[in-house]
Amino acid sequence: MALPDHHLTQGERRIRSFQPHWKRLIVPFLALVLIVAASGAGLFLIPGDWEFALYGRIAVIAVALILLTVWAFVPYLQWKNTGYVLTTHRFTISTGVLNKSTDEIPMTKVNTVSSDQTFAERMLGCGTLTVESAGEKGQIELKDIPHIQDVRAELFRLVEDASDGEVDGR
């Protein structure tokens, strides 16, 4: 997904790969449904005997395509092209559709791992993961992480193993 196997270092093992939680797609999906319904209604309501009916229908379709692109397709592509990879040596965050941005946090540089969940996020099983490191960025806040408690526990275990000089509990 975000980190191909051939980019792993010797002895490094992938623990978990995941994307942001699907809840990020709720608003784009609702936008898709509303835009399709509104454009369908607009096409239906344009009178057939109107002399500019063809231009009106073309305008409705053009506006619908623009809105679908901005409010549904682009957010979907952003969600699909955001990936998180947790390995025995690092935590990688990869984002971007046309341009790719990758942040890597070595396990030895992680100071604090914490999670935060609202009531709705607890119901959905996701949350915000905050990773504080000794690097340039200091603190990285990752929103909508699925299975937040499992990810936090694995990340914390890997940080502890890295600070003890162990790999995979050895």
Side-chain angles (χ1 to χ4, degrees), residues 3-17 84-92 105 107 154-155 157-158 161 166-170:
L3 184 68
D5 286 339
H6 66 274
H7 286 187
L8 297 177
T9 61
Q10 184 176 353
E12 186 175 16
R13 193 172 57 81
R14 182 186 313 266
I15 303 297
R16 181 184 283 244
S17 295
Y84 306 110
V85 178
L86 186 59
T87 71
T88 54
H89 295 115
R90 58 189 157 167
F91 185 46
T92 304
I105 304 170
M107 289 301 161
E154 286 175 350
L155 185 55
R157 182 184 55 80
L158 290 168
D161 288 352
E166 298 178 7
V167 176
D168 295 335
R170 293 177 258 161

Side-chain angles (χ1 to χ4, degrees), residues 25-106:
L25 297 176
I26 293 172
V27 172
F29 178 75
L30 291 174
L32 172 86
V33 170
L34 290 174
I35 292 167
V36 168
S39 60
L43 290 173
F44 179 75
L45 293 174
I46 293 175
D49 58 350
W50 183 42
E51 67 178 294
F52 299 110
L54 177 64
Y55 298 117
R57 289 189 176 104
I58 290 172
V60 167
I61 291 171
V63 169
L65 288 176
I66 290 168
L67 292 177
L68 283 172
T69 300
V70 173
W71 290 345
F73 189 61
V74 170
Y76 170 76
L77 284 178
Q78 289 172 338
W79 173 80
K80 188 72 174 160
N81 289 296
T82 298
Y84 306 110
V85 178
L86 186 59
T87 71
T88 54
H89 295 115
R90 58 189 157 167
F91 185 46
T92 304
I93 302 123
S94 179
T95 59
V97 177
L98 298 176
N99 298 327
K100 205 66 154 170
S101 174
T102 303
D103 290 323
E104 293 183 349
I105 304 170

